[in-house]
């Protein structure tokens, strides 16, 4: 019986499980799920349905943050002197943040690369004091470095 | 003398034949029985949407009132089937719209359903009553609005764990004031808030409403007013159970729960706060089904709840219940038939260690009617499996997921071969089995030999060699669906047992050692099978010896399907080119 040793598929990592007397045929480099970066990204083990997996991940995120941490930041729209305050911890990600801000300020706001004349762009000031475009870094990281938000006119960016 | 029974008499007799298995047998007797049966069949089940064409089904059963379809293979539930693989509902809906406009019920599982599909249903079937979508995707809330506005006689609209593009809660407002026939509504998988006043009005004009499953966005406060309007509910899925209510509101809510005299099934309970658990006590004794898989109820609150559920038949709970909690279930819930224990952590390293094999042993000892088990656990022992097998020979479905792959018996460090042997030997009516933990080929020899009634088998990270697959395919007389991932067998067993595959509905294998050449060979040998090679990362050219990522093989009378994406190869595509690169959208 020919075993295929030329396992060139990129989705399989060669992390081997711990050996035992009754060990599995290791020449096929079976992947131990959570240690393989590709597998971890793929989220197919343990075999639970997507909805449950999302709920559990969301719950873990919630528990990891201090229950009492709110993330209130000031939000200004360019040209409007009075700002608003927003609790960023209530949003699940950039999309819900943008949606909410668009409602709040009654205009369409986008972030990142798709700039044009019509839409305002969301920017933020980080812990270094620099003004940056919102959307470049992962949401969780963003929450850690954001200090205040500004909705700028399209031409400014 | 013509000894044939007149068709009118046959029709009358067949009207008593309900199950489709029986009807299938009836249709094989002779031509006239086939004819009469097909003209009188009202409920059609197609368990693999690619096994037969929509046109053929529509032609054969012109009197069809109810159609149930399944699309993607089961492992699609765990993200193993790439997006765009298939399972489209459209061709079916189109065909039925043309040939069976009297269709009243559509139940789809693991299929891609678009807004166009829903609009077509709304426009084509004048007497449409039931739409149940389970694990489906591809549609938005706009499609729901189309159903709501057009289906005047709608009785059931259920979205079970679907992935829906949520454009807002307006869709609910499209149910016309004239719709009073609703019996079941389940929108628990949606995220957006629906307008409470519209929901209240809908509920109050639906006197036949028996099942209502709300989504998380429906507040506890809103739940109170809804339940006042529908005390006749038999099934309730609450929304979020965590608003801070004042004392008056709490006592009102408690009162409302005591009015639910018919309630048999309870689910939802998202984020339930411990102080609200006592609100549920009044309904507990009547409950036959309790789904706590989204409720973060911990011990000891779980015990308080479950010890009151003496009539419980079905319990779905998280591993937060721990062995202690299952001990209480064992002593309180003597009518238990089905137990599912889900992991409370999404990853392997987050498993709750206070839930062990002992919990399941308690329940198996004390609950005589237990026949269906799904159990996620960090580790297991052969001794426990042997005990469970001895206690519960009446098990029909046993799915054990030892979360750590290749985990041996944590006491003896042996593989779990002996344990699963005991299960298949003792449980003679076992129809569904999922195995896990460290398993050698021997385990599969036992399963092959003793699993006579086994219809569905799921395997992950197990076995040593081709023998494993060979044992299964040459044994397991009733095998219908086999799904395997990450097991080290290769071509030999598959090719030697090719004939078996025609007696089965489907075989799924992913991350195993099957080569492209073997797939081609199998395709040639077995023209009645569709052999699909699914490979998202394939190279431009495929040598025959290269292993394939995933294979899905199923019997079909429909021939090759026309809707394959680029990353699926079958022999009908040019074998020289092989699988082309996945076109990233």
């Amino acid at each position: 019986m020919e075993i295929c040793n030329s396992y060139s598929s990129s989705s399989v990592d060669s992390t081997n499980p711990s050996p035992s007397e009754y060990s599995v045929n290791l020449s096929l480099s079976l992947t131990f799920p959570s240690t393989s970066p590709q597998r971890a990204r793929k989220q197919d083990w343990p075999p639970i349905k997507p909805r449950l997996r999302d709920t559990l991940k969301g719950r873990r995120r919630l528990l990891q943050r201090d229950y009492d941490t709110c993330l209130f930041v000031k939000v200004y729209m360019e040209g409007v002197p009075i700002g608003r305050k927003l609790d960023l911890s209530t949003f699940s990600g950039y999309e819900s943040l943008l949606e909410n801000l668009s409602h709040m300020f009654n205009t369409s706001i986008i972030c990142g690369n798709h700039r044009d004349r019509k839409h305002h762009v969301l920017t933020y000031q980080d812990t270094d004091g620099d003004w940056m475009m919102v959307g470049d870094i992962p949401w969780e990281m963003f929450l850690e470095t954001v200090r205040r938000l500004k909705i700028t006119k399209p031409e400014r960016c | 003398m013509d000894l044939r029974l007149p068709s009118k008499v046959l029709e009358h007799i067949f009207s008593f034949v309900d199950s489709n298995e029986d009807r299938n047998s009836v249709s094989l007797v002779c031509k006239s029985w086939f004819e009469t049966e097909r003209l009188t069949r009202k409920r059609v089940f197609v368990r693999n949407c690619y096994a037969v064409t929509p046109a053929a089904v529509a032609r054969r059963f012109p009197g069809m009132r109810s159609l149930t379809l399944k699309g993607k293979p089961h492992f699609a539930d765990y993200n193993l089937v790439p997006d765009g693989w298939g399972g489209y509902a459209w061709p079916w809906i189109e065909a039925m719209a043309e040939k069976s406009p009297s269709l009243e019920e559509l139940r789809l599982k693991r299929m891609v359903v678009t807004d166009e599909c829903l609009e077509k249903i709304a426009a084509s079937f004048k007497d449409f009553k039931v739409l149940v979508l389970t694990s489906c995707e591809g549609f938005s809330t706009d499609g729901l609005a189309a159903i709501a506005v057009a289906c005047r006689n709608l009785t059931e609209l259920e979205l079970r764990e679907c992935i829906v593009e949520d454009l807002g809660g307006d869709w609910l407002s499209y149910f016309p004031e004239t719709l009073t026939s609703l019996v079941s509504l389940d929108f628990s998988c949606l995220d957006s808030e629906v307008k409470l006043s519209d929901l209240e009005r809908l509920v109050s004009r639906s006197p036949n409403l028996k099942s209502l499953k709300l989504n998380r966005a429906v507040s506890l406060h809103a739940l109170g007013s809804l339940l006042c309007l529908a005390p006749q509910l038999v099934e309730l899925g609450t929304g979020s159970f965590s608003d801070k209510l004042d004392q008056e509101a709490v006592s009102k809510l408690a009162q409302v729960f005591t009015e639910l005299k018919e309630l048999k099934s309870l689910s939802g309970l998202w984020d339930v706060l411990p102080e609200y658990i006592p609100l549920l006590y009044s309904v507990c004794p009547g409950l036959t089904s309790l789904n706590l898989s989204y409720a973060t109820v911990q011990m000891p609150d779980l015990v308080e709840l479950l010890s009151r559920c003496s009539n419980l038949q079905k319990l779905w709970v998280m591993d937060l219940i721990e062995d202690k909690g299952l001990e209480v279930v064992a002593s309180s819930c003597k009518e238990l038939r089905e137990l599912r224990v889900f992991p409370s952590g999404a990853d392997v390293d987050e498993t709750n260690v206070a839930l062990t094999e002992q919990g399941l042993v308690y329940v198996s000892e004390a609950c005589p009617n237990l026949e269906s088990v799904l159990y996620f656990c960090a580790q297991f022992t052969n001794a426990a499996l042997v005990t469970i097998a001895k206690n519960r020979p009446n098990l029909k479905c046993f799915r054990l997921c030892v979360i750590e792959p290749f985990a041996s018996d944590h006491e003896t460090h042996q593989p779990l071969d002996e344990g699963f042997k005991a299960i298949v030997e003792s449980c003679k009516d076992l129809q569904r089995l999922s195995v896990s933990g460290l398993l050698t080929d021997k385990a599969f020899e036992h399963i092959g030999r003793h699993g006579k009634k086994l219809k569905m088998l799921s395997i992950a990270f197990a076995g040593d060699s081709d023998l494993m697959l060979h044992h299964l395919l040459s044994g397991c007389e009733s095998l219908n669906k086999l799904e395997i991932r990450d097991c080290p067998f290769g071509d030999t067993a598959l090719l030697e047992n090719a004939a078996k595959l025609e007696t089965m509905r489907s075989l799924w294998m992913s991350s195993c050692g099957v080569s492209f050449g073997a797939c081609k060979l199998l395709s040639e040998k077995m023209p009645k099978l569709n052999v699909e090679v699914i490979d998202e990362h394939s190279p431009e050219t495929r040598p025959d010896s290269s292993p394939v990522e995933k294979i899905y093989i199923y019997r079909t009378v429909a021939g090759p399907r026309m809707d394959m994406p680029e990353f699926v190869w079958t022999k009908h595509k040019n074998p020289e080119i092989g699988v082309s690169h996945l076109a990233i959208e």
Side-chain angles (χ1 to χ4, degrees):
Chain A
M1 184 196 78
E2 226 180 312
I3 302 166
C4 305
N5 276 316
S6 53
Y7 226 15
S8 58
S9 169
S10 61
S11 70
V12 177
D13 204 346
S14 50
T15 320
N16 289 328
S18 49
S20 74
E21 267 188 286
Y22 308 89
S23 65
V24 169
N25 189 338
L26 296 177
S27 64
L28 287 172
S29 305
L30 292 172
T31 307
F32 192 76
S34 65
T35 56
S36 154
Q38 277 99 344
R39 274 294 151 82
R41 218 186 301 138
K42 260 193 147 191
Q43 299 183 24
D44 53 33
W45 190 264
I48 52 178
K49 292 192 185 164
R51 201 142 189 97
L52 184 61
R53 193 183 299 278
D54 288 342
T55 311
L56 296 180
K57 282 194 154 25
R59 214 169 269 158
R60 183 182 46 165
R61 233 177 282 137
L62 218 76
L63 291 171
Q64 276 172 354
R65 257 209 309 270
D66 267 336
Y67 246 72
D68 287 324
T69 321
C70 313
L71 270 162
F72 273 102
V73 295
K74 293 184 190 167
V75 189
Y76 283 92
M77 171 126 119
E78 200 158 358
V80 179
I82 310 287
R84 305 288 303 266
K85 254 205 161 160
L86 207 59
D87 180 359
L88 292 182
S89 64
T90 61
F91 301 116
S92 51
Y94 287 120
E95 227 181 88
S96 59
L97 171 63
L98 283 175
E99 213 186 274
N100 208 285
L101 281 176
S102 300
H103 269 325
M104 211 185 227
F105 289 90
N106 208 15
T107 180
S108 68
I109 305 169
I110 49 135
C111 60
N113 309 319
H114 314 285
R115 305 195 282 280
D116 60 38
R117 291 285 129 123
K118 289 179 242 136
H119 303 287
H120 284 83
V121 179
L122 187 59
T123 62
Y124 71 102
Q125 189 181 40
D126 65 11
T127 43
D128 294 332
D130 301 322
W131 284 96
M132 313 288 288
M133 195 86 81
V134 163
D136 289 335
I137 54 175
W139 177 252
E140 273 79 14
M141 211 183 284
F142 170 71
L143 292 180
E144 277 159 31
T145 77
V146 62
R147 286 296 162 259
R148 42 175 38 192
L149 294 171
K150 185 156 77 182
I151 302 166
T152 48
K153 293 207 174 84
E155 314 84 53
R156 284 287 228 109
C157 299
Chain B
M1 184 170 80
D2 193 342
L3 292 169
R4 277 184 305 179
L5 290 169
S7 54
K8 279 275 171 263
V9 175
L10 277 179
E11 262 177 50
H12 183 71
I13 296 172
F14 292 170
S15 66
F16 295 103
V17 181
D18 259 340
S19 95
N20 270 29
E21 230 181 296
D22 292 339
R23 276 190 164 261
N24 288 343
S25 307
V26 157
S27 64
L28 292 173
V29 169
C30 65
K31 271 208 175 120
S32 74
W33 281 42
F34 179 88
E35 274 304 299
T36 311
E37 194 285 314
R38 77 176 188 89
L39 295 170
T40 56
R41 192 182 300 207
K42 298 266 182 298
R43 318 184 75 84
V44 178
F45 282 76
V46 180
R47 287 184 170 83
N48 176 0
C49 68
Y50 290 120
V52 64
T53 62
V57 174
R59 249 196 329 268
R60 181 172 167 189
F61 301 112
M64 191 189 330
R65 290 281 180 276
S66 156
L67 178 62
T68 304
L69 288 170
K70 291 191 185 178
K72 301 184 199 175
H74 173 239
F75 271 179
D77 282 352
Y78 314 129
N79 288 335
L80 285 172
V81 177
D83 285 339
W85 171 82
Y88 304 105
W90 175 259
W92 288 88
I93 295 170
E94 202 184 29
M96 297 311 140
E98 199 193 310
K99 296 267 166 51
S100 304
S102 318
L103 192 71
E104 293 175 5
E105 305 181 3
L106 198 54
R107 292 175 173 81
L108 306 177
K109 187 167 185 178
R110 284 187 214 106
M111 295 195 77
V112 177
V113 179
T114 58
D115 285 347
E116 285 72 35
C117 293
L118 297 175
E119 283 154 18
K120 186 88 170 155
I121 293 171
S124 316
F125 306 116
K126 293 298 158 223
D127 208 17
F128 200 69
K129 294 196 167 74
V130 171
L131 184 64
V132 177
L133 303 176
T134 306
S135 303
C136 293
E137 46 160 1
F139 60 101
S140 76
T141 42
D142 284 352
L144 296 178
I147 296 282
V149 80
C151 301
R152 309 265 136 174
N153 297 313
L154 198 68
T155 58
E156 288 177 39
L157 177 61
E158 293 181 21
L159 308 172
R160 301 179 187 170
E161 309 217 38
C162 293
I163 299 179
V164 185
E165 192 193 345
D166 199 327
L167 302 169
D170 295 336
W171 63 274
L172 189 97
S173 314
Y174 282 82
F175 283 111
E177 293 296 320
T178 48
L179 182 77
T180 56
S181 46
L182 213 54
V183 173
S184 169
L185 178 64
D186 179 353
F187 59 98
S188 52
C189 62
L190 299 180
D191 289 320
S192 293
E193 227 180 292
V194 298
K195 209 157 153 212
L196 182 62
S197 52
D198 287 339
L199 183 54
E200 280 174 348
R201 274 206 306 278
L202 179 62
V203 168
S204 41
R205 66 173 183 274
S206 305
N208 298 323
L209 192 68
K210 292 277 182 297
S211 174
L212 180 63
K213 296 189 181 165
L214 307 165
N215 67 354
R216 196 174 187 169
V218 176
S219 66
L220 197 51
H221 204 259
L223 178 68
S225 39
L226 285 167
L227 292 180
C228 275
L229 298 168
Q232 77 282 8
L233 283 180
V234 175
E235 295 182 349
L236 171 65
T238 73
S240 163
F241 224 89
S242 60
D243 309 346
K244 297 283 184 196
L245 298 176
D246 60 38
Q247 199 41 52
E248 196 194 327
V250 170
S251 36
K252 255 200 185 151
L253 195 56
Q255 179 59 33
V256 146
F257 267 97
T258 59
E259 304 293 328
L260 300 175
K261 306 270 188 244
E262 310 292 324
L263 199 69
K264 293 235 171 336
S265 163
L266 183 62
S267 58
L269 300 171
W270 275 288
D271 316 314
V272 58
L273 296 174
E275 55 258 38
Y276 292 148
I277 306 242
L279 289 173
L280 305 171
Y281 291 168
S282 55
V283 296
C284 286
L287 287 182
T288 55
S289 166
L290 181 57
N291 182 353
L292 297 171
S293 40
Y294 291 98
T296 39
V297 194
Q298 313 255 7
M299 298 287 289
D301 300 311
L302 267 176
V303 162
E304 286 299 316
L305 197 58
L306 292 168
S307 55
R308 291 172 161 80
C309 297
S310 48
N311 285 311
L312 207 59
Q313 293 176 15
K314 177 169 130 177
L315 175 62
W316 291 18
V317 71
M318 308 202 93
D319 58 13
L320 303 168
I321 193 170
E322 300 176 356
D323 289 345
K324 287 185 291 188
L326 287 176
E327 202 177 355
V328 172
V329 169
S331 59
S332 313
C333 310
K334 294 291 183 207
E335 304 297 319
L336 200 66
R337 292 194 190 155
E338 178 179 327
L339 174 67
R340 294 196 188 188
V341 179
F342 295 101
S344 55
D347 291 322
V348 180
D349 350 294
E350 293 173 24
T351 330
N352 186 340
V353 282
L355 179 92
T356 72
E357 71 276 4
Q358 190 52 48
L360 188 55
V361 169
Y362 287 140
V363 178
S364 72
E365 264 162 6
C367 300
N369 298 324
L370 186 71
E371 53 180 32
S372 174
V373 171
L374 169 60
Y375 201 76
F376 283 83
C377 186
Q379 56 193 13
F380 230 78
T381 63
N382 281 309
L385 283 169
V386 168
T387 309
I388 292 166
K390 197 162 53 112
N391 289 336
R392 289 279 67 78
N394 52 320
L395 281 174
K396 293 220 169 64
C397 166
F398 187 72
R399 296 161 71 188
L400 175 64
C401 182
V402 178
I403 301 183
E404 176 136 334
F406 313 114
S408 56
D409 179 323
H410 69 88
E411 279 168 6
T412 65
H413 305 296
Q414 301 284 314
L416 293 179
D417 297 350
E418 286 304 307
F420 280 106
K421 175 180 182 211
I423 294 280
V424 288
E425 269 183 341
S426 166
C427 306
K428 304 217 187 307
D429 290 327
L430 196 66
Q431 290 181 11
R432 185 168 176 184
L433 177 65
S434 298
V435 297
S436 53
L438 184 65
L439 295 165
T440 72
D441 289 344
K442 270 227 150 286
F444 300 99
E445 190 189 332
H446 302 312
I447 295 173
R449 184 175 313 133
H450 298 286
K452 297 198 191 308
K453 298 263 180 80
L454 209 54
K455 286 192 182 159
M456 183 168 174
L457 181 56
S458 311
I459 308 172
F461 305 104
D464 302 316
S465 72
D466 269 48
L467 266 184
M468 159 202 165
L469 185 62
H470 176 73
H471 287 313
L472 293 174
L473 293 181
S474 57
C476 293
E477 291 89 334
S478 312
L479 196 60
N480 202 343
K481 286 201 288 190
L482 179 57
E483 45 186 27
I484 307 179
R485 59 167 292 180
D486 295 89
C487 294
F489 62 81
D491 306 335
T492 319
L494 194 59
L495 292 170
E496 270 178 12
N497 293 285
K500 172 81 170 179
L501 299 176
E502 269 181 16
T503 69
M504 293 166 52
R505 193 183 314 157
S506 65
L507 168 62
W508 168 279
M509 290 181 291
S510 52
S511 306
C512 300
V514 181
S515 71
F516 187 55
C519 294
K520 286 201 288 186
L521 203 54
L522 190 64
S523 293
E524 292 306 316
K525 262 177 99 168
M526 313 293 300
K528 289 197 212 149
L529 300 176
N530 271 0
V531 177
E532 293 189 11
V533 173
I534 301 166
D535 220 320
E536 290 180 279
H537 303 101
S538 72
E540 277 293 338
T541 52
R542 288 202 83 104
D544 277 6
S545 58
S546 67
V548 299
E549 251 182 37
K550 301 172 185 180
I551 315 168
Y552 185 45
I553 303 171
Y554 51 92
R555 66 179 173 203
T556 179
V557 294
R561 56 182 177 111
M562 295 300 140
D563 57 4
M564 280 181 288
E566 285 216 316
F567 56 83
V568 172
W569 173 93
T570 64
K571 73 165 188 250
H572 308 282
K573 288 193 178 173
N574 189 334
E576 262 75 275
I577 295 176
V579 183
S580 47
H581 279 298
L582 168 66
I584 315 276
E585 280 165 318

